Structure formats: structure tokens, C-alpha cells
Amino acid sequence: MLSTALNIEDVRKQARRRLPRGIFDYIDRGAEDEVGLARLRRGFDDLVFHPRVLVDVSRRDLSTRLFGRERPLPLVIAPTAAAGLVWHQGEIELARAAAKAGIPFTIATGSMTEMERIATEARGELWFQLYMWQARELSHALIDRAWANGIETLVLTVDTVANPIREYNTRNGYEVPIRASLKGGLDMLAHPRWVVGVLLRYLLDEGIPTYRHYPESFRSSITRKATWEQVRLTDALGWDDLKELRRRWPGRLILKGVLRADDAACAVEAGVDGIVVSSHGARNLDAAVPPVRALPAIVEAVRGRAAVLADSGVKRGADVLKLMALGADAVLIGRAPLYGTAVAGEAGASHVLHLLRQEMEAVMGFLGCTRLDELDTSFISTEGDRQERPFAGN
């Protein structure tokens, strides 16, 4: 099946056939009227390349240096809480694929596999994503747990301060926590491979999957309501909280969900090591600016004082290179490897990474570049610019 998937969209279609609709919609769709998803795609498509010619590109190198380490690809697996739903122990499968590719895997706060098991079985570079809970002390205990497991990079996600408006989850019966419904049950029965390969394996091994990073006293199965108040995401997170986290966390600290240059500058002043320019894949605020438009001003504001990463909407290797040309040091990918994991576990995720590598190598050749550090704004402009001048930011 994987051999017939020639691009990410092919993998996506295979994942759609395999997964119950509720789970597929949960990982695939956006928020509100979902115009943000189209805006993400349009943001990439409106950017055009200005290739060089007569350059020897027989040896193209996709490696990049990030946080003092040379990495074979400019990619990071973004935190995705649903990995454990698309495949049995999907977090481990995805982490193994990342390790084989030599790129970091970011464990989500809402992971259904505990970080200890992922660290033992994946054996790659792990980052940990933190959503700050209402009870700060519980979040601080969680990052202590991450540090004790050898995780040196913490990704604080700050763009989910309210419940996203995703009506399709309610209609499909896939709210979090998941609620039982006749429609959802029939949907699952229509996808027996998923029921046998994922749900029944969980039930036989450990029961209904749970949020493994939630405190023991508040942990519940994903189908039951629990006492959520202390572990709900806080909507009162401020710059002082970031500074306190910086004081407590001895490793690298990345702030994810930044779309304004002034916020980026404040984050650097607060001591972060990296910033992720992200609209959460258009899954939170439907009308948020696409990262490709926000990125240049943020790069200018940061001025090399911290690493700048970007994500949201990447479907092609060319998308990755456009973000790099606009100043990103690396790119996080979320939905694409999830599709692959849903199709074939580790092998599917590895196939997605292979496709992206293949596409990046081809585009690099067409651009007349042999290394990623050659990319800059001279290679790119907005299609609507009639004079086709290099990209000038916002």
C-alpha cells in the first residue's frame, strides 16, 4: 500500500480510508469554518522560487545545525496527542521513525504512552511539549519527570488558551474526553482493521488508553469525565510564568505558538532558546495569520539571538524550503507523519519522511543550491508581486 503513495496527499487518503471518521477528522481538520486551512495552503502556494542555473548540484546536503548539533534533515516531529489513537502505541512507532531519520520527536503532554516507555523503546532524541495546567505545581512536577528521563528540550505551547471551536468533533462524538455515541460506535465498526489493530489491542494490553502524563490522581480513561479543574489548560499564563519556567528548567526552552514580532522579542528577553512560529495548524484560531507571512518579521526581531522554527500546513518538501528561505532554522511537521503512522505505523511515518527528503533534494537541485544555509529571501517572492522582487516580509 505504501508503495502506491507517491506524496503526502496519497498517504492522507490512505489514512482516511483506514481510520474511523471521528479520529481522522480530529487529526485532519481545522477550527470554526476552516478557512484557516485554505489560508495556510494559499500562503505556501503564493510564494514562488527564483532558481539559479549553471550551478553544480551533484552533491546536495540537507543537513542543518540546530542547537549546536548537526542534523541530517531540517525537520522535527511536532507534538501530536492523537498519535496513540491512529496506531497502537503510535507515539513509539512515530518516535522510532524519527530516530531512524536522525530528527527529534516531540512527546505531547496528552500522549497515551508514557515518556519513560518512549525513551526506552525509541532511543532517539526526544523533546517534551508542555501545556501549562491550572495547577502550576503539577506542571512543574511533569517537567522534572521529563528531565529525569534525559529529555533536554522543553517546548512550551502557549496558543491554546481557550477551547478551540471544532464542531465536527462534537458531531462525530470525538470530544476530549471521548464520549460514547451510537454514531461513533457505528463509525468504528465500519473500520474493523482499526478496531482490531488499535482499540482491541489496547483493551487486551492495558484497557482503554489514558493520558499517561496526567497525575495519577487525575488520570482517567479517554472515554470518561474526570476532575479536570487542576489539569485543565490555564488561560492565565503570563510572561512571569515563562520566566519562572526558565528558572526551573535547566535545558533548552522553546516557545511554540508565536505569530507576532513583539512577542518573539519579549520571549528572547525572557531567556528562551527557540521560538516556533505556528498557527497550531489552523486548529485553534481560524483567522490567524499563516506562519509564512509572520515569519520574516519574527526572524528580524529575533536577530539570531534564538533559533526560529516554524510549522503549520507543510505538505511538500518545497514548503519546508520556503520556510527555510524565509529564515526558519528548522521546520516542525505534524499531520503528515500522523497520516503515515495511521497507515503503517513506523514504516508509514518513515515513508512520509522519505517523501519529504526526496522532494527537498529535488527542489534544492532546481534552485541551484547544494546546502540549506545558501537559502535566503533572494530565492523567493510573492507571486502577486509583478516585479518579482525578493520577499520583503509583511
Side-chain angles (χ1 to χ4, degrees):
M1 180 180 284
L2 283 176
S3 61
T4 64
L6 305 183
N7 52 51
I8 303 302
E9 182 58 25
D10 286 347
V11 181
R12 175 184 175 273
K13 290 176 180 177
Q14 292 186 9
R16 185 174 187 174
R17 288 194 293 269
R18 187 181 184 280
L19 293 175
R21 177 175 178 176
I23 294 177
F24 179 79
D25 282 357
Y26 179 78
I27 68 172
D28 183 68
R29 296 182 64 178
E32 300 180 33
D33 296 317
E34 299 182 277
V35 296
L37 286 174
R39 189 180 293 112
L40 283 178
R41 187 66 258 154
R42 190 165 61 249
F44 283 115
D45 292 343
D46 284 349
L47 296 177
V48 292
F49 286 121
H50 296 250
R52 297 185 301 198
V53 296
L54 296 179
V55 178
D56 182 353
V57 292
S58 58
R59 295 184 178 181
R60 301 190 287 283
D61 184 0
L62 293 177
S63 66
T64 191
R65 192 165 186 83
L66 181 66
F67 297 125
R69 289 185 54 181
E70 196 76 16
R71 304 165 192 275
L73 291 171
L75 301 175
V76 177
I77 302 296
T80 50
L85 287 178
V86 302
W87 194 269
H88 182 254
Q89 300 297 344
E91 288 94 354
I92 294 175
E93 299 289 309
L94 191 46
R96 284 173 173 165
K100 285 186 177 180
I103 64 175
F105 171 77
T106 311
I107 303 172
T109 292
S111 171
M112 291 165 202
T113 305
E114 56 268 47
M115 64 179 81
E116 292 83 359
R117 184 172 177 184
I118 296 173
T120 298
E121 298 193 27
R123 300 182 181 276
E125 181 182 356
L126 299 178
W127 295 3
F128 186 77
Q129 176 252 0
L130 178 70
Y131 278 123
M132 189 68 76
W133 288 326
Q134 189 75 8
R136 303 290 200 276
E137 68 276 9
L138 296 179
S139 293
H140 294 156
L142 185 59
I143 66 171
D144 290 342
R145 179 177 164 187
W147 183 256
N149 278 281
I151 297 172
E152 298 178 348
T153 301
L154 182 67
V155 182
L156 176 65
T157 300
V158 292
D159 59 1
T160 309
V161 295
N163 290 324
I165 300 171
R166 304 170 187 164
E167 292 98 343
Y168 52 87
N169 284 339
T170 303
R171 294 191 182 101
N172 291 333
Y174 278 83
E175 296 174 291
V176 179
I178 292 174
R179 62 176 172 79
S181 70
L182 176 60
K183 185 175 182 180
L186 293 175
D187 185 24
M188 289 183 184
L189 292 177
H191 296 83
R193 287 186 300 170
W194 180 86
V195 172
V196 174
V198 180
L199 183 59
L200 288 184
R201 289 185 65 185
Y202 277 127
L203 293 175
L204 292 173
D205 290 349
E206 58 196 47
I208 292 175
T210 66
Y211 295 118
R212 293 292 180 177
H213 296 131
Y214 279 57
E216 189 69 35
S217 57
F218 299 102
R219 193 180 300 168
S220 70
S221 79
I222 61 172
T223 61
R224 292 201 307 271
K225 283 286 185 184
T227 305
W228 288 99
E229 184 59 28
Q230 286 187 284
V231 292
R232 72 176 176 85
L233 306 190
T234 180
D235 55 4
L237 195 65
W239 291 105
D240 287 341
D241 293 292
L242 177 61
K243 292 174 183 176
E244 173 64 14
L245 193 63
R246 174 69 286 179
R247 187 185 69 79
R248 288 176 173 271
W249 178 253
R252 288 182 290 270
L253 178 60
I254 298 174
L255 194 66
K256 184 176 185 291
V258 179
L259 288 171
R260 291 175 59 104
D262 53 354
D263 281 345
C266 289
V268 172
E269 293 299 322
V272 303
D273 301 289
I275 290 167
V276 182
V277 183
S278 170
S279 65
H280 215 96
R283 288 171 53 79
N284 283 353
L285 178 61
D286 197 24
V289 61
V292 290
R293 291 183 55 189
L295 181 58
I298 291 175
V299 170
E300 176 65 22
V302 171
R303 294 182 181 272
R305 294 175 293 164
V308 178
L309 301 88
D311 75 7
S312 300
V314 171
K315 288 188 175 181
R316 287 280 187 179
D319 298 341
V320 175
L321 298 184
K322 287 176 180 179
L323 291 169
M324 300 288 286
L326 292 176
D329 295 298
V331 173
L332 279 72
I333 51 174
R335 287 185 178 96
L338 267 187
Y339 298 145
T341 305
V343 173
E346 178 188 339
S350 291
H351 183 68
V352 163
L353 294 174
H354 168 73
L355 290 174
L356 290 173
R357 174 193 285 274
Q358 193 175 52
E359 291 174 355
M360 284 189 286
E361 287 178 343
V363 175
M364 285 283 284
F366 288 122
L367 291 179
C369 290
T370 59
R371 292 186 54 85
L372 292 174
D373 56 17
E374 297 174 28
L375 290 172
D376 58 30
T377 55
S378 71
F379 283 93
I380 202 164
S381 73
T382 303
E383 189 174 28
D385 186 343
R386 295 180 180 179
Q387 296 179 7
E388 292 192 346
R389 291 173 286 125
F391 192 89
N394 294 335

